[in-house]
Amino acid sequence: MKERIHSKFVSLYGEGGVFYASAGRINLIGEHTDYNGGYVFPGAIDKGIIAEIKLNGTDKVRLYSLDYDASAIFGLEEEDKPAEQWARYIFGVCRETIKRGGQVAGFDAVFAGDVPLGAGLSSSAALESCFAYALNDLNHNGIDLFELARIGQSTEHNYCGVMCGIMDQFASCFGKKGQLIRLNCKTLEHQYFPFNPEGYKLVLLDTCVKHELASSAYNFRRQSCERAAAAIKENHPEVDFLSDCKRVWLDEVRDKISEEDFIRAEYVIGEVQRVLDVCDALERGDYETVGEMMYQTHFGLSRLYEVSCPELDFLAKLARKMEVTGSRVMGGGFGGCTINLVKDSLYDSFIAAAKEQYKAQFGIDLKVYDVVISDGARKLA
Ligand code: GLA
């Protein structure tokens, strides 16, 4: 990928570029908890974005996306927002850097990626953190990694219309090879956990569907949670997020909030606890408990939070039937991947059955990704 990027870069902009990279992410457990101030448990993966970049001495940005085979040019003022959707992620990163007092000089860039799009692996966070990291370095801004992650998140909020939490950008900025990150999304305190489940594989099954309205439904889920937290706060002023709430506090407001908001909040409160339980189980090497929690999360995301879809439910159910250790929808939902913790001995038969039965049921070829937990945003040699 680096060679292809470089030859395009040289033909468009000449020599002198510097390479930067960043990564997509998986999340073992802790879904839709980030914007509720709860815990998540992600890691960066060996699929990401690579960009070659150099400052061009102008006040314009010139981009070339190898994957879209398309270019874009824009200025750095708020009114210069580009028409191309893909270029808005980078425009947003420039603007959010400037809003934080950083310098952004005009630059030229060619980039490409291998994070499957729409699969719930955060290709957009990979793009944001790659450029946030690169622009910080090239312009000597000295912005710390926490703020670089927030630059990516604010880009989603202010330029892409998704009111996401901090998980994806954090994982993409802070990812380390072989380590998952338990992140408290309220305080950004985090702890690395070595993840090398001997005798098991972590595999993603991509439904290859992305149902419409995913981002508007995402924003609605967030609003439900905020309404529930606000109602609880009337009784318990210390509550800022659903993650601050005890389960019984939710019961106290059952009559004050809609049934829908209630079940959304019920899921979130349970999920925050599951992350802690999974971390404890991991420290004991108890993968059976880890897997069981994954199934519980799937149930919650499907029945209470209602962000699953028939394709994802089908795969999680098949996993259960075949006695796979753990399986659940991963990421925002409405399509994308299930994440599966599978015993080595079961791996081949599970993958073969999943491919065959998924094709028979939906007429779609399932995609399978083995993931390796890897480094996040960085400069390449
Ligand atoms: C998307 C968002 C994240 C997070 C997950 C669900 O990936 O970008 O912030 O909310 O969904 O856990």
Side-chain angles (χ1 to χ4, degrees), residues 25 27 30-35 40 120 122 124 153 156 162-169 218 267 301 330-333:
R25 63 103 189 89
N27 184 28
E31 220 63 89
H32 290 274
T33 47
D34 58 355
Y35 53 83
V40 292
S122 293
S124 60
Q153 183 192 21
E156 296 279 348
V162 181
M163 297 307 292
C164 65
I166 192 73
M167 170 171 72
D168 304 348
Q169 292 78 12
Y218 182 93
Y267 160 76
L301 287 170
M330 191 185 72

Side-chain angles (χ1 to χ4, degrees), residues 47-105:
K47 298 186 191 311
I49 295 278
I50 297 181
E52 184 169 3
I53 310 182
K54 84 173 167 189
L55 301 183
N56 61 19
T58 74
D59 58 1
K60 294 273 182 289
V61 174
R62 297 190 294 176
L63 299 176
Y64 188 83
S65 158
L66 267 187
D67 300 324
Y68 288 122
D69 190 14
S71 54
I73 300 184
F74 52 80
L76 290 160
E77 304 297 329
E78 196 60 30
E79 60 272 18
D80 295 326
K81 187 168 169 180
E84 301 83 354
Q85 193 61 45
W86 60 267
R88 287 191 185 171
Y89 291 100
I90 298 163
F91 175 73
V93 167
C94 296
R95 290 298 309 157
E96 292 297 334
T97 302
I98 293 166
K99 285 183 203 168
R100 285 160 175 80
Q103 290 281 329
V104 179

